[in-house]
């Protein structure tokens, strides 16, 4: 299997001072592979070789050649499967045609490049550069037109030439293989992500057993482009081997991060595909701003660090977006996630990989089904409690019960609440007037309304409260604030039990 990436010297999408590719061999820096060396890497699917057929100041090409042992794969229990003794397992296109094996090799060999990190050429890594990608033999179940529909919306000029079944017998027609060439001015990390996802999608097959981890891989590699791709559903079905539960999980996580459309001039988790837009006030060219979902979770973690919390209960944890950050931070010694929906807890357990965790880790991180409007002794005794994008899902008449359960009975030292700022909704062009960002939102508060509610809660239960903005701030004449607002409650030491 072979894929080549070629770049030429020139100014990519901007002036020279903002990341011009003055020397084509800078591609070696971006890939972390020296043009003067040939390197080999042993992988589960075979041996990957990286070399540069050409490398000068004007033009540089890197080649990734994957040598596959089809017999060895069949005999390997990990790949062989039930039909390991069928003739098709020994006579096939695996050694030659690009497939999920080549995608795995790309992810392993160019792992750092796919993160977009290059300490010596970071501005260049953040910029779009002229690229030409060539995959000589690619299975394309759907014909050359499918390749155009998948890569075209991502900014590529696509040349997919069908290969004949037999050049000497033209009446047999074309095979399902194409010779694929992509040209465009694209950030290198994005180009690698496009290949990583779409090679197995075009083949509509994977050489390994697909598990829930594939959803995480797909969303990571698809960040910034998958959510709004016109062929998104087909991409997800094929990438996830048509397993409905994983497709539904991926769809929910893409569409309902916060559930609404993105304002035309703002960064929001509501449409992760807009992740390439610089954050408000940024003058960086080509930098990828974090989504609002990421900014919100990081703001919550920062607040927990400020108050020195060691044990945290995530109330309404959903599928565990915040818990994943907390679990990775060893400063948090005890974590509990609660949700009223059992299905969400199952997803959270999968994302946190609790089944494979050690006994000590399962003791540190626990998930329980619980309602925020009913007393639950299991949520008491924590340093901090978090309600991240939760209260707007509670019917207003039930807010009193939530207040009693959290602030009067559980009484953590700190409570962090985030909720949408409804004033900011005016920047969402496709949102109806007085509409909510998510169909399940029972209400959305203005900044004054949150402050009035939080001030009353703090006064009644012996807490002090401060307020913060999360996300890009609207600096226009209306001063609509930020898309997310945070209330940080800290229990007064003078307040009695």
């Amino acid at each position: 299997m072979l894929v080549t990436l070629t770049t030429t010297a020139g100014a990519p999408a901007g002036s020279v001072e903002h990341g011009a590719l003055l020397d084509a061999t800078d591609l070696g820096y971006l890939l972390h592979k020296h043009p003067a060396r040939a390197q080999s890497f042993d992988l589960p699917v075979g041996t990957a070789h990286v070399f540069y057929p050409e490398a000068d100041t004007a033009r540089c090409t890197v080649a990734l050649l994957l040598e596959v042992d089809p017999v060895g794969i069949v005999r390997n229990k990990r790949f062989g499967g039930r039909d390991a003794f069928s003739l098709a397992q020994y006579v096939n296109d695996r050694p030659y045609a690009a497939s999920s094996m080549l995608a795995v090799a790309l992810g392993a060999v160019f792992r750092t490049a796919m993160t977009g990190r290059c300490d010596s050429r970071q501005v260049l890594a953040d910029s779009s550069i002229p690229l030409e990608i060539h995959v000589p033999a690619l299975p394309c179940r759907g014909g050359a037109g499918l390749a155009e529909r998948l890569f075209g919306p991502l900014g590529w000029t696509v040349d997919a030439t069908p290969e004949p079944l037999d050049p000497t017998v033209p009446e047999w027609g074309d095979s399902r293989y194409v010779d694929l060439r992509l040209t465009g001015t694209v950030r290198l990390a994005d180009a690698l992500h496009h290949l990583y996802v779409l090679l197995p999608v075009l083949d509509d097959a994977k050489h390994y057993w697909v598990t829930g981890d594939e959803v995480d891989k797909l969303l990571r590699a698809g960040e910034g482009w998958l959510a709004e791709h016109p062929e998104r559903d087909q991409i997800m079905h094929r990438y996830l081997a048509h397993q409905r539960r994983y497709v539904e999980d991926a769809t929910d996580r893409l569409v309902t991060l916060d559930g609404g459309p993105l304002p035309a001039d703002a960064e929001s988790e509501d449409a992760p595909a807009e992740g390439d837009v610089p954050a408000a006030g940024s003058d960086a060219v080509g930098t990828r701003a974090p989504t609002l979902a990421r900014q919100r979770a990081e703001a919550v973690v920062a607040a927990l660090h400020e108050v020195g919390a060691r044990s945290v209960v995530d109330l309404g944890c959903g599928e565990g977006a915040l818990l994943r950050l907390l679990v990775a931070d060893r400063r948090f010694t005890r974590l509990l996630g609660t949700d009223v929906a059992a299905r969400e807890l199952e997803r959270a357990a999968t994302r946190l990989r609790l089944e494979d965790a050690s006994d000590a880790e399962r003791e540190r991180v626990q998930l329980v089904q619980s309602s925020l409007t009913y007393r639950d002794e299991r949520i008491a005794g924590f340093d901090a409690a978090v309600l991240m994008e939760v209260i707007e899902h509670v019917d207003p008449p039930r807010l009193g019960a939530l207040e009693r359960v959290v602030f009067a009975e559980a009484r953590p030292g700190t409570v962090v609440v985030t909720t949408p700022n409804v004033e900011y909704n005016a920047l969402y062009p496709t949102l109806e007037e007085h509409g909510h960002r998510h169909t399940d939102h029972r209400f959305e508060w203005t900044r004054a309304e949150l402050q009035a509610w939080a001030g009353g809660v703090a006064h009644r239960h012996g807490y002090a409260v401060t307020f913060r903005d999360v996300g890009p701030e609207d600096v226009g004449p209306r001063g609509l604030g930020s898309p997310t607002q945070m209330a940080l409650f800290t229990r007064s030491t003078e307040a009695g039990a």
Side-chain angles (χ1 to χ4, degrees):
M1 301 180 194
L2 176 68
V3 59
T4 64
L5 290 84
T6 301
T7 190
T8 54
S15 63
V16 171
E17 62 182 349
H18 283 118
L21 192 64
L22 300 179
D23 187 331
T25 59
D26 282 345
L27 181 64
Y29 286 101
L30 300 182
L31 292 171
H32 303 267
K33 301 291 182 290
H34 198 289
R37 294 176 53 199
Q39 302 181 56
S40 298
F41 305 87
D42 290 329
L43 304 175
V45 295
T47 302
H49 305 278
V50 178
F51 57 94
Y52 289 77
E54 57 181 340
D56 55 45
T57 57
R59 184 179 172 88
C60 184
T61 298
V62 63
L64 172 62
L65 177 67
L66 179 61
E67 282 189 296
V68 174
D69 178 6
V71 175
I73 288 178
V74 173
R75 292 175 178 174
N76 188 325
K77 292 181 179 180
R78 179 180 177 186
F79 304 119
R82 296 179 179 177
D83 57 346
F85 294 100
S86 70
L87 181 61
Q89 287 284 65
Y90 293 89
V91 182
N92 53 51
D93 61 3
R94 282 179 177 171
Y96 318 108
S99 66
S100 59
M101 296 184 195
L102 186 58
V104 168
L106 282 167
V109 174
F110 298 135
R111 181 183 295 111
T112 305
M114 290 179 70
T115 67
R117 183 173 63 83
C118 180
D119 296 339
S120 59
R121 299 288 192 279
Q122 189 58 52
V123 173
L124 188 58
D126 291 336
S127 303
S128 299
I129 63 174
L131 286 173
E132 178 182 330
I133 296 175
H134 183 207
V135 185
L138 174 63
C140 192
R141 299 177 189 271
L146 179 60
E148 170 65 37
R149 296 197 303 274
L150 293 184
F151 285 102
L154 301 176
W156 295 102
T157 299
V158 182
D159 180 8
T161 305
E163 298 286 357
L165 276 172
D166 188 335
T168 65
V169 189
E171 57 269 23
W172 286 0
D174 295 329
S175 69
R176 64 182 179 90
Y177 301 93
V178 299
D179 182 308
L180 179 68
R181 291 184 183 272
L182 307 172
T183 55
T185 303
V186 181
R187 199 173 71 110
L188 178 63
D190 292 335
L192 293 173
H193 283 140
H194 298 164
L195 290 174
Y196 180 81
V197 172
L198 297 181
L199 288 181
V201 168
L202 286 167
D203 187 20
D204 197 14
K206 284 200 168 182
H207 69 277
Y208 55 88
W209 184 256
V210 172
T211 65
D213 291 345
E214 293 299 295
V215 177
D216 291 333
K217 294 178 185 178
L218 174 61
L219 297 186
R220 282 196 300 267
E223 183 180 2
W225 60 270
L226 178 58
E228 293 190 350
H229 195 292
E231 298 290 334
R232 183 190 72 189
D233 291 344
Q234 181 167 208
I235 291 171
M236 291 194 298
H237 275 86
R238 288 191 171 201
Y239 187 89
L240 298 171
H242 302 275
Q243 297 197 44
R244 187 176 64 180
R245 56 176 176 161
Y246 297 144
V247 174
E248 290 176 351
D249 186 16
T251 302
D252 289 346
R253 289 165 60 178
L254 268 181
V255 177
T256 62
L257 285 173
D258 196 330
L262 181 74
D265 58 350
E267 179 67 30
S268 170
E269 70 174 301
D270 299 338
E274 297 295 329
D276 292 332
V277 179
S282 171
D283 58 359
V285 175
T287 56
R288 177 178 294 246
T291 62
L292 178 58
R294 183 75 181 188
Q295 293 179 60
R296 179 188 299 128
E298 290 178 347
V300 170
V301 174
L304 295 173
H305 286 166
E306 287 179 23
V307 300
R310 303 277 287 173
S311 59
V312 180
V313 54
D314 185 3
L315 301 171
C317 66
E319 60 183 23
L322 175 63
L323 283 174
R324 292 189 69 184
L325 290 181
L326 300 179
V327 167
D329 192 332
R330 304 308 296 185
R331 282 174 285 189
F332 299 110
T333 57
R334 181 185 173 206
L335 298 168
L336 176 66
T338 76
D339 201 279
V340 70
R343 183 181 179 188
E344 291 294 281
L345 293 174
E346 291 174 359
R347 290 175 174 172
T350 299
R351 295 188 71 185
L352 298 173
R353 301 181 181 178
L354 294 185
E355 289 187 1
D356 301 325
S358 65
D359 291 342
E361 190 66 7
R362 282 198 292 267
E363 175 111 2
R364 173 179 173 248
V365 184
Q366 297 181 350
L367 302 173
V368 298
Q369 189 172 12
S370 179
S371 170
L372 286 173
T373 56
Y374 294 93
R375 181 174 184 175
D376 190 338
E377 295 180 354
R378 295 174 296 180
I379 68 173
F382 286 84
D383 296 337
V386 176
L387 295 96
M388 189 174 76
E389 307 302 286
V390 169
I391 57 172
E392 63 273 11
H393 294 271
V394 178
D395 287 315
R398 302 294 293 162
L399 286 176
L402 180 148
E403 175 186 336
R404 183 189 70 252
V405 168
V406 176
F407 292 91
E409 296 172 353
R411 289 192 63 75
T414 299
V415 181
V416 184
V417 176
T418 73
T419 190
N421 168 22
V422 71
E423 297 165 74
Y424 198 83
N425 287 1
L427 298 178
Y428 289 72
T430 60
L431 194 62
E432 296 181 3
E433 187 176 3
H434 306 303
H436 292 160
R437 298 187 200 175
H438 192 281
T439 55
D440 189 53
H441 286 185
R442 304 307 200 259
F443 61 87
E444 289 177 0
W445 278 334
T446 65
R447 288 167 288 178
E449 287 171 330
L450 172 65
Q451 292 171 18
W453 174 81
V457 170
H459 176 73
R460 288 188 290 273
H461 300 285
Y463 284 79
V465 62
T466 57
F467 302 94
R468 303 178 182 183
D469 291 331
V470 180
E473 182 180 2
D474 172 51
V475 294
R478 293 178 291 179
L480 301 177
S482 296
T484 295
Q485 48 187 336
M486 175 189 290
L488 179 62
F489 299 83
T490 52
R491 193 177 62 208
S492 171
T493 56
E494 298 177 359

